[in-house]
Amino acid sequence: MNIDTIIIGGGVIGMLTARELALAGQRVTLFDRQGTGRESSWAGGGIVSPLYPWRYTKPVSALAGWSQRHYRALCEQLRAATGIDPEWTSNGLLIIAPDEQRDATGWARRRAAEVQCLDRQQLAQLEPALARPQDGAIWMPEVAQVRNPRLVKALRRDLELRGVPIHEHEAVTAIATRHGRVQGIHTAHGNYPARTVVICAGAWSAALLEGVAPAPPITPVLGQMILFKAPPGTIRRITLESDRYIIPRRDGRVLFGSTLEQCGFEKRTSDTAGRQLRESAIQRFPRLADCPVEHHWAGLRPASPAGIPYIGPVSALEGLYLNAGHFRNGVVLGPASCRLLADLLLAREPVVDPTPYRIGAPRQDPGAE
Ligand SMILES: Cc1cc2nc3c(=O)[nH]c(=O)nc-3n(C[C@H](O)[C@H](O)[C@H](O)COP(=O)(O)OP(=O)(O)OC[C@H]3O[C@@H](n4cnc5c(N)ncnc54)[C@H](O)[C@@H]3O)c2cc1C
């Protein structure tokens, strides 16, 4: 079968990109060097919002806003098609940051998003498990979460049902090029010709550009999380305070994270971080002291300057595209990023202005919206 487009990487970004192109009638084939959805897209928390959204630049907010408007429908489509429920759940985001109320309300006004400032009674009512409710919390009732390990399973099944060939445990070793044009890819099992290739390899994306085109600074940043086994209703809301957040799933399980560590591509957990995460979870939510920690894991986020992903053609090589560098927000930015990539590849009207995501575009500092 002739392939129009090869997707390298089967995380949330690669699979959503493959889905967008398949929906447009393209013959797409996806490669992952292991099983799909085993890296950052599995390890993440699944909050469908950037943390402290007002601290981000306009380009991040534009993608997040588009995705948030479409997430529920996407999850319903996936559930109907595959029988796997990504558990889109709108249980709202509480942010304990009284000093940031003005920034939060100003941002919400500009974005037509809902933000309320709470006193301690209102906060205690919304999240009775919180140890020391205080005045000045920020409440974003519209924020949702998805159960990302199920989202990636549903996406994989959806691609299968659409007839997209998925080559798992087959690493792409090089991009095939000739006369400034992409020809396909090489793997240990053979060569696969294609007219276009999209790199969606998360933290490993820059390595695939080596010897082909100048690589943008996409680097791994490790994040560790723990999971409590708790009865349903133990924790009600996604709650964020300084660099820690809690995410209650529908079945009662509770995620608590996360660390931000620079240690290259070494994906490992440490007992110290696991202990500190458990202690700070119990400090904030004392009822978790009776709940066992069921799991402790780590993932490598694909970091980029200001967290603005690279979406679009790699100008040094015709037919080569990049969709990577979503850092802490790949789950929430995914639907918009992948629609935009497909729009650019298929020469359609783009859903958002593509300029800030171009490979060579300057990335502003966070907070400069
Ligand atoms: C602890 C933690 C918490 C997070 N919480 C959230 C959150 O609440 N909300 C949110 O929006 N985001 C969150 N994120 C970030 C989010 O998970 C990532 O931004 C997103 O998953 C990136 O998706 P991706 O598809 O680009 O990368 P990945 O999921 O890492 O996928 C990349 C894929 O490429 C494959 N690959 C690599 N090299 C090759 C090769 N040579 N050949 C073939 N395949 C290759 C890999 O095997 C992998 O499957 C979190 C991340 C972490 C670690």
Side-chain angles (χ1 to χ4, degrees):
M1 179 181 121
N2 288 333
I3 303 173
D4 293 322
T5 300
I6 284 175
I7 308 287
I8 309 176
V12 70
I13 299 300
M15 289 197 283
L16 279 169
T17 304
R19 186 171 186 269
E20 285 291 343
L21 294 172
L23 281 168
Q26 280 233 325
R27 289 160 303 181
V28 185
T29 295
L30 184 141
F31 288 79
D32 201 292
R33 62 176 184 186
Q34 51 184 328
T36 56
R38 299 281 162 85
E39 290 290 349
S40 195
S41 302
W42 177 90
I47 305 173
V48 184
S49 169
L51 307 174
Y52 305 99
W54 49 89
R55 292 184 189 172
Y56 280 89
T57 55
K58 265 186 189 163
V60 172
S61 298
L63 293 176
W66 193 94
S67 292
Q68 285 164 334
R69 290 192 292 281
H70 294 84
Y71 235 108
R72 184 180 197 163
L74 169 68
C75 290
E76 276 167 11
Q77 284 161 18
L78 289 172
R79 185 171 61 132
T82 68
I84 303 165
D85 186 357
E87 294 190 7
W88 182 92
T89 306
S90 174
N91 52 349
L93 173 62
L94 279 168
I95 304 181
I96 319 278
D99 296 348
E100 298 192 40
Q101 277 189 352
R102 266 166 74 100
D103 292 343
T105 48
W107 173 88
R109 239 187 336 269
R110 292 193 298 279
R111 303 255 142 218
E114 201 182 337
V115 160
Q116 296 165 21
C117 298
L118 306 178
D119 61 29
R120 71 187 68 186
Q121 280 83 15
Q122 291 169 314
L123 176 58
Q125 240 169 24
L126 275 168
E127 182 48 86
L130 205 56
R132 293 175 303 278
Q134 51 178 293
D135 289 328
I138 297 157
W139 171 229
M140 302 182 70
E142 295 163 334
V143 170
Q145 59 163 300
V146 289
R147 199 155 177 167
N148 41 303
R150 298 201 181 171
L151 174 68
V152 286
K153 259 192 202 159
L155 282 170
R156 188 194 186 288
R157 182 80 190 115
D158 187 70
L159 291 177
E160 266 177 357
L161 293 169
R162 291 180 191 284
V164 173
I166 299 174
H167 294 244
E168 290 184 307
H169 307 285
E170 191 169 355
V172 174
T173 50
I175 314 275
T177 68
R178 196 159 170 244
H179 304 315
R181 214 197 176 292
V182 94
Q183 302 291 317
I185 54 136
H186 302 299
T187 77
H189 300 301
N191 305 329
Y192 298 84
R195 281 194 293 128
T196 44
V197 170
V198 189
I199 300 175
C200 307
W204 299 270
S205 296
L208 282 155
L209 285 167
E210 246 167 57
V212 171
I218 300 173
T219 52
V221 173
L222 185 96
Q224 299 189 47
M225 298 255 263
I226 57 170
L227 179 75
F228 290 91
K229 188 164 197 280
T234 305
I235 308 292
R236 290 195 196 161
R237 311 290 176 190
I238 309 167
T239 304
L240 169 63
E241 187 179 6
S242 63
D243 56 352
R244 296 283 179 260
Y245 52 81
I246 195 158
I247 308 170
R249 298 298 198 207
R250 285 188 195 171
D251 63 5
R253 286 189 165 82
V254 170
L255 284 80
F256 193 84
S258 59
T259 64
L260 272 176
E261 302 168 64
Q262 315 268 357
C263 45
F265 286 96
E266 195 194 342
K267 194 177 69 177
R268 48 110 188 102
T269 56
S270 72
D271 292 345
T272 313
R275 218 174 18 253
Q276 284 169 352
L277 286 171
R278 181 171 179 273
E279 277 163 15
S280 71
I282 291 170
Q283 234 174 35
R284 290 166 166 84
F285 301 92
R287 55 177 78 161
L288 289 175
D290 301 328
C291 303
V293 172
E294 202 174 33
H295 198 21
H296 174 197
W297 68 87
L300 294 174
R301 308 174 183 92
S304 55
I308 301 174
Y310 296 92
I311 309 169
V314 177
S315 53
L317 201 65
E318 206 185 324
L320 183 63
Y321 290 77
L322 183 61
N323 193 3
H326 297 75
F327 196 22
R328 305 193 79 173
N329 295 307
V331 175
V332 53
L333 305 185
S337 300
C338 301
R339 170 67 73 90
L340 175 61
L341 191 286
D343 290 342
L344 295 171
L345 195 151
L346 299 167
R348 298 187 307 213
E349 182 69 25
V351 279
V352 295
D353 175 9
T355 317
Y357 318 104
R358 283 188 190 142
I359 316 300
R363 263 71 181 159
Q364 290 172 292
D365 286 335
E369 186 183 292

